[in-house]
Amino acid sequence: HSSLKYSPPFSCVCRSSRELWTILLGRSALREPAQIAAELNKHWQRLLEGLSYYKPPSVTSAEKIKADKDVAAPLKELGLRVSKFLGLDEEQSVQLLQSYLQEDYRGTRDSLKTVLQDERQSQALMLKVSYFHLYLLWKRSVGSKPTSFLWKILK
């Protein structure tokens, strides 16, 4: 998976994807709704382009995942649950889950097996994957526009 790099045509203070994600999660010094809205207004196109990358669920995609011998059964199952939870294409959901596990998951292979066997822990993992999904939306592109659509997504 390749990430796009943005080189502004002029000098500006541009936030990294990780900084924007931190703001979005409410973990930065910017906590006032007006401040967060201003940042989202500046980076609207980034989110919109990220959203357009993802497709809706489909029967064909679900069948491909179920038939894929290269994906372990527990990951298939959780990937299909992620698809339903986020309303995303099943193949992209499994890819999203695999990306999360490679890039952001803090546990070991053995702890992942335990997580996948426990309903409560697997639900928590799905929530973390959804946060990771939003983070990836910020990484996809750059630009600016209003934020009302984003607020609807986050509610």
Side-chain angles (χ1 to χ4, degrees):
H1 57 231
S2 64
S3 62
L4 301 175
K5 299 277 185 205
Y6 174 64
S7 301
F10 51 87
S11 176
C12 70
V13 176
C14 295
R15 297 203 181 270
S16 71
S17 294
R18 190 61 83 172
E19 287 174 308
L20 290 170
W21 178 235
T22 302
I23 291 168
L24 188 61
L25 287 176
R27 295 180 184 159
S28 78
L30 296 178
R31 295 194 181 250
E32 294 297 319
Q35 292 174 314
I36 295 170
E39 286 301 315
L40 295 175
N41 278 325
K42 285 183 212 170
H43 303 286
W44 170 253
Q45 191 66 31
R46 184 182 281 188
L47 177 65
L48 184 60
E49 290 177 9
L51 284 172
S52 66
Y53 169 80
Y54 291 97
K55 300 178 278 188
S58 74
V59 173
T60 306
S61 180
E63 288 172 357
K64 284 182 184 176
I65 287 299
K66 290 175 184 173
D68 190 339
K69 304 283 188 218
D70 294 330
V71 178
L75 289 181
K76 284 183 194 182
E77 181 185 318
L78 189 60
L80 293 172
R81 289 176 60 197
V82 166
S83 171
K84 285 183 181 179
F85 184 66
L86 296 176
L88 299 177
D89 175 84
E90 291 80 357
E91 289 178 283
Q92 288 181 323
S93 295
V94 170
Q95 291 168 357
L96 175 66
L97 176 59
Q98 289 172 329
S99 292
Y100 169 78
L101 293 173
Q102 289 174 354
E103 295 178 31
D104 250 24
Y105 183 66
R106 302 285 184 244
T108 65
R109 261 190 130 90
D110 288 336
S111 68
L112 178 60
K113 288 177 186 176
T114 303
V115 166
L116 294 175
Q117 292 171 355
D118 181 85
E119 181 61 26
R120 199 169 16 150
Q121 289 183 50
S122 64
Q123 286 178 357
L125 180 64
M126 282 193 345
L127 187 59
K128 289 177 183 177
V129 170
S130 71
Y131 291 151
F132 183 73
H133 173 246
L134 287 174
Y135 166 68
L136 291 179
L137 294 177
W138 284 118
K139 280 179 66 173
R140 294 254 176 245
S141 242
V142 295
S144 61
K145 261 282 197 237
T147 61
S148 59
F149 182 66
L150 176 63
W151 290 119
K152 288 178 188 174
I153 292 170
L154 295 176
K155 287 184 178 180

